[in-house]
């Protein structure tokens, strides 16, 4: 937290003429120093952002506004949200609490056509709706709700990609559902397995895509759509996946994320030689562990972004904890809780802690290079706030009406992905706050 410097000199106090001149000069110097500190701080890469100024003083980022035509004023709802913010200062958006929100989500499973069946919890038979009525509230400042109309205006003539695994696809569906309340996206591309997709918002010339690359680095995967493997994954720890790197320089914005796939059995390759593995008993290979591979991947990713010379704004989203209890996804694990955890009610697992620490350490190294690289890299640290939401997963309602024929049916639970609508919608609030008030 950077302390704000303020001048306490009042140039209009009834002092002698010389004292007035001297104090005015001192005040001028202090104000100049404060301005210098403020400007230099704006170049730091951080998850800490300034709280918004009052609505009537808000200015758009210059780099975005240059391409925006004059349009109608924003709705009063957004102005009201902005007026609830705390005094100007610094706030860590990722430290806070989930608070009740009677207003509920922007959309429903009936008003949005982009929800995949696995995340359509209400259609699949989930009867409780309490999980829809919570909002993330950072401590020390208020977080305005995502404004789809304003977001589309900011994104006119821009391109944005979500790069990662199925959680990234889960997130892009959340954004599509929210934006659909203003304009329906048109799907213009999908790969053979419908994992990578591209949409366009015609009236804003905005392109939104999801690029499925679960490791972000080169991987030979022998797994079908149901997660059944026929052979070990071959993971190349010194090569990024060209599926996303070849497209990166065409993007204005990107949200990049890795995580859970690194826990799978994999054979590790470096310099075209097998160097070890993760969880490969009987292979007579050195057990290097998922953490070894994940750190290598983070280093490759951040090195590519910071040395790309491309001026995109890149967010790195941290790993997402799951909430399986009494087993794992393959051994009867469930997630039946109905309300969020409080801060002192839950701790991260050892695996999630290791993965999250690697992300933070490598991100800090990358951003320590400073602004001379000319690359905007921001941390979207959703790990802890997601940990507090065990109530927001599909659970058994990953399938359609799983208990319609047998109330005691044994079904596989999904305690990793998020219901739509659901807690993942709050990630959009964070992203927009970081764009609008994050020093872009």
């Amino acid at each position: 937290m950077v302390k704000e410097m303020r001048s306490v000199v009042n140039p209009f106090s009834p002092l002698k003429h010389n004292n007035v001149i001297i104090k005015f000069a001192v005040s001028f110097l202090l104000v100049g120093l404060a301005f210098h500190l403020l400007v230099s701080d704006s170049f730091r890469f951080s998850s800490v952002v300034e709280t918004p100024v009052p609505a009537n003083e808000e200015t758009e980022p210059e780099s975005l506004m240059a391409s925006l035509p004059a349009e109608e004023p924003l709705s009063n709802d957004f102005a009201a949200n902005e007026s609830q913010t705390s005094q100007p200062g610094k706030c860590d958006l990722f430290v806070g609490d989930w608070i009740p929100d009677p207003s509920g989500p922007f959309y429903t499973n009936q008003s949005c056509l982009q929800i995949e069946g696995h995340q359509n919890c209400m259609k699949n038979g989930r009867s409780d709706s309490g999980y829809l009525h919570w909002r993330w509230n950072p401590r020390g400042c208020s977080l305005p709700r995502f404004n789809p109309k304003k977001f589309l205006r900011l994104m006119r003539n821009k391109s944005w990609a979500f790069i990662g695994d199925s959680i990234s696809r889960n997130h892009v569906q959340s954004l599509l559902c929210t934006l659909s309340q203003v304009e329906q996206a048109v799907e213009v591309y999908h790969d053979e397995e419908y994992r990578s997709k591209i949409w366009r918002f015609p009236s804003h010339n905005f392109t939104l895509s999801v690029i499925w690359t679960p490791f972000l680095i080169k991987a030979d995967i022998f797994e079908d759509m149901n997660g059944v493997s026929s052979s070990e994954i071959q993971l190349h720890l010194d090569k990024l996946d060209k599926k996303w790197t070849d497209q990166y320089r065409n993007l204005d914005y990107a949200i990049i994320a890795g995580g859970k796939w690194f826990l799978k059995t994999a054979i590790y390759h470096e310099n075209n030689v097998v160097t070890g593995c993760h969880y490969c008993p009987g292979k007579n290979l050195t057990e290097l562990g998922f953490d070894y591979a994940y750190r290598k991947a983070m280093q490759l990713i951040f090195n590519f972004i910071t040395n790309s010379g491309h001026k995109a704004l890149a967010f790195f989203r941290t790993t997402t904890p799951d909430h399986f209890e009494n087993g794992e996804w393959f051994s009867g694990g469930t997630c039946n809780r109905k309300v969020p955890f409080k801060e002192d009610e839950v701790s991260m697992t050892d695996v999630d802690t290791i993965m999250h620490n690697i992300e933070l350490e490598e991100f800090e190294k990358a951003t320590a290079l400073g602004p001379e690289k000319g690359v905007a890299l921001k941390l979207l640290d959703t790990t802890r706030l997601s940990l507090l939401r065990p109530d927001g997963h599909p659970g058994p309602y990953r399938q359609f009406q799983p208990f319609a024929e047998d109330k005691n049916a044994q079904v596989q639970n999904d305690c990793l992905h998020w219901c739509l609508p659901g807690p993942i919608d709050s990630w959009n609030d964070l992203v927009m706050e970081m764009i609008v008030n994050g020093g872009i």
Side-chain angles (χ1 to χ4, degrees), residues 7 16 25 39 87 143 261 281 297 351 356 370 373:
S7 171
K16 293 181 180 181
V39 170
Q87 294 297 318
L143 179 63
W261 276 71
V351 167
H356 191 227
K373 292 287 186 179

Side-chain angles (χ1 to χ4, degrees), residues 80-137:
N81 279 327
E82 288 189 313
S83 68
Q84 295 172 6
T85 57
S86 61
Q87 294 297 318
K90 294 286 185 179
C91 170
D92 190 335
L93 293 174
F94 310 117
V95 176
D97 307 278
W98 290 93
I99 60 174
D101 178 23
S103 63
F106 278 102
Y107 62 93
T108 68
N109 65 320
Q110 294 179 327
S111 68
C112 179
L113 305 178
Q114 302 289 352
I115 304 174
E116 279 190 7
H118 294 327
Q119 278 81 58
N120 201 334
C121 300
M122 288 194 165
K123 181 178 180 180
N124 290 344
R126 181 167 177 171
S127 58
D128 64 299
S129 61
Y131 68 97
L132 299 174
H133 297 282
W134 297 90
R135 281 195 65 210
W136 178 247
N137 183 47

Side-chain angles (χ1 to χ4, degrees), residues 386-406:
S386 300
L387 179 67
L388 302 179
R389 291 306 306 271
D391 56 320
H393 301 291
Y397 299 102
R398 174 182 173 84
Q399 299 101 22
F400 179 72
Q401 301 292 337
F403 304 114
E405 296 182 4
D406 181 359

Side-chain angles (χ1 to χ4, degrees), residues 323-337 413 415:
H323 291 95
F324 290 98
E325 297 186 69
N326 304 312
E328 299 297 331
W329 67 270
F330 54 84
S331 58
T334 60
C335 43
N336 298 322
R337 295 180 184 269
N413 281 254
C415 304

